[in-house]
């Protein structure tokens, strides 16, 4: 029997379809314990697994995690190396089981910057799980929201150059298909852990109408209770998308 049989939370009719998380606080979690930052990153892996399992249980269909930003290359080389090693080990250890649960794994970002061995494991994980539909797990690596919009604009510019679309026809609808996660629903709930209150260049286009939940919990401690609190916060929001409350109530 699948140990992750869906068990929706209270208010399941108001669950988000797509949750995005900035997993912040690994370093501070380790520092509080007088341990190196890499210790915090290892601990954060357990929280990643917990978040995936909760999404499976709650029936959330898409989860996007900010694992490594394009700005993270500026961190100390030993920390970057430790993170790359962690990615490799996690891929080797987790892909089979996630595949068994029906999770589709996709890495979004500029993958050309990674070592060939790591890039190959990423591609293999994506190919193996491509047909899965229970949960779309998107892992943003070497990703930045501005980069995403710029690369989409470059693709659209080439389409204009090649006569596939007129310059006068360029608008939001024509740009959107060229963005990362174009086949996913827009982000409904954006979570940032660790107490900081900024979006840090993550999914700038995709979170345009997302509800934002800032948690003071450091990422390694972000457990099912903390995630459910974020979901309850989301369920209590009124999502108007530019309309008035009366208009929203009238369309319910």
């Amino acid at each position: 029997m699948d140990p992750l049989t869906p068990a929706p939370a209270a208010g399941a009719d108001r669950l988000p379809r797509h949750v995005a998380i900035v997993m912040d606080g690994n370093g501070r979690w380790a520092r509080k314990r007088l341990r190196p930052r890499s210790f915090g990153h290892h601990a954060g892996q357990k929280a990643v697994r917990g978040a995936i399992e909760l999404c499976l249980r709650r029936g959330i269909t898409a989860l996007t995690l900010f694992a490594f930003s394009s700005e993270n290359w500026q961190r100390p080389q030993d920390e970057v190396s430790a993170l790359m090693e962690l990615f490799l080990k996690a891929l080797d250890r987790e892909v089979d089981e996630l595949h068994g649960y029906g999770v589709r794994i996709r890495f979004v970002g500029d993958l050309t910057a990674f070592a060939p061995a790591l890039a190959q494991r990423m591609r293999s994980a994506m190919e193996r799980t491509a047909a899965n539909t229970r949960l779309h797990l998107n892992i943003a690596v070497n990703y930045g929201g501005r980069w995403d919009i710029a690369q989409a604009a470059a693709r659209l510019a080439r389409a204009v150059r090649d006569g596939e679309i007129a310059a006068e026809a360029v608008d939001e609808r024509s740009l959107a298909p060229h963005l990362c996660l174009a086949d996913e629903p827009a982000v409904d709930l954006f979570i940032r852990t660790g107490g900081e209150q900024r979006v840090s260049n993550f999914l700038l286009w995709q979170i345009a109408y997302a509800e934002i939940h800032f948690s003071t919990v450091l990422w390694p401690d972000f457990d099912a209770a903390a995630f459910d609190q974020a979901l309850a916060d989301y369920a209590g929001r009124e999502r108007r998308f530019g309309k008035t409350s009366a208009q929203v109530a009238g369309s319910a």
Side-chain angles (χ1 to χ4, degrees):
M1 180 180 294
D2 184 350
L4 300 180
T5 299
D13 58 326
R14 300 210 60 197
L15 282 171
R17 295 173 300 168
H18 187 175
V19 177
I21 306 179
V22 176
M23 306 177 291
D24 194 18
N26 289 343
R28 281 172 286 158
W29 186 91
R31 188 165 62 247
K32 284 184 175 182
R33 290 157 178 78
L34 305 179
R35 302 295 296 271
R37 292 177 63 87
S38 59
F39 183 72
H41 293 311
H42 278 280
Q45 273 199 312
K46 295 179 181 178
V48 168
R49 182 55 184 263
I52 294 169
E53 291 180 356
L54 186 136
C55 286
L56 289 168
R57 291 193 177 99
R58 298 288 181 260
I60 294 168
T61 56
L63 173 65
T64 302
L65 302 176
F66 205 6
F68 192 83
S69 77
S70 50
E71 290 81 13
N72 285 156
W73 294 108
Q74 303 175 61
R75 292 190 175 189
Q77 184 57 47
D78 58 345
E79 182 178 354
V80 172
S81 297
L83 279 169
M84 296 303 108
E85 183 66 22
L86 196 61
F87 287 161
L88 279 169
K89 290 181 178 178
L91 283 170
D92 289 341
R93 183 175 62 249
E94 302 288 350
V95 170
D96 287 348
E97 191 168 3
L98 292 176
H99 178 54
Y101 288 140
V103 177
R104 187 190 76 178
I105 300 170
R106 179 165 57 180
F107 294 92
V108 295
D110 182 3
L111 305 187
T112 62
F114 294 104
L118 179 53
Q120 179 55 45
R121 280 178 168 84
M122 290 179 184
R123 286 191 293 269
S124 295
M126 289 191 284
E127 290 169 3
R128 181 167 188 199
T129 63
N132 294 337
T133 59
R134 185 175 173 190
L135 172 66
H136 288 180
L137 173 62
N138 307 300
I139 304 172
V141 289
N142 195 26
Y143 174 90
R146 291 177 175 176
W147 165 86
D148 192 2
I149 295 170
Q151 63 87 30
R155 291 182 182 181
L156 191 55
R158 288 193 290 271
V160 171
R161 179 198 63 193
D162 296 340
E164 298 170 8
I165 182 174
E168 295 76 14
V170 171
D171 57 13
E172 291 181 21
R173 287 188 178 183
S174 59
L175 181 66
H178 299 285
L179 292 157
C180 294
L181 306 183
D183 60 337
E184 299 284 12
V187 175
D188 296 306
L189 174 61
F190 176 100
I191 300 171
R192 183 179 184 130
T193 65
E196 302 291 353
Q197 298 188 16
R198 54 179 178 269
V199 299
S200 293
N201 196 25
F202 186 39
L203 300 177
L204 298 180
W205 182 285
Q206 295 87 344
I207 65 171
Y209 277 97
E211 300 299 322
I212 299 179
H213 176 87
F214 293 118
S215 172
T216 58
V217 177
L218 300 176
W219 176 246
D221 293 329
F222 193 78
D223 57 11
F227 203 154
D228 274 337
Q229 182 179 354
L231 295 178
D233 182 19
Y234 171 85
R237 306 278 184 95
E238 181 182 64
R239 307 195 75 202
R240 296 194 298 271
F241 298 99
K243 298 179 180 179
T244 66
S245 294
Q247 287 176 305
V248 172
S251 63

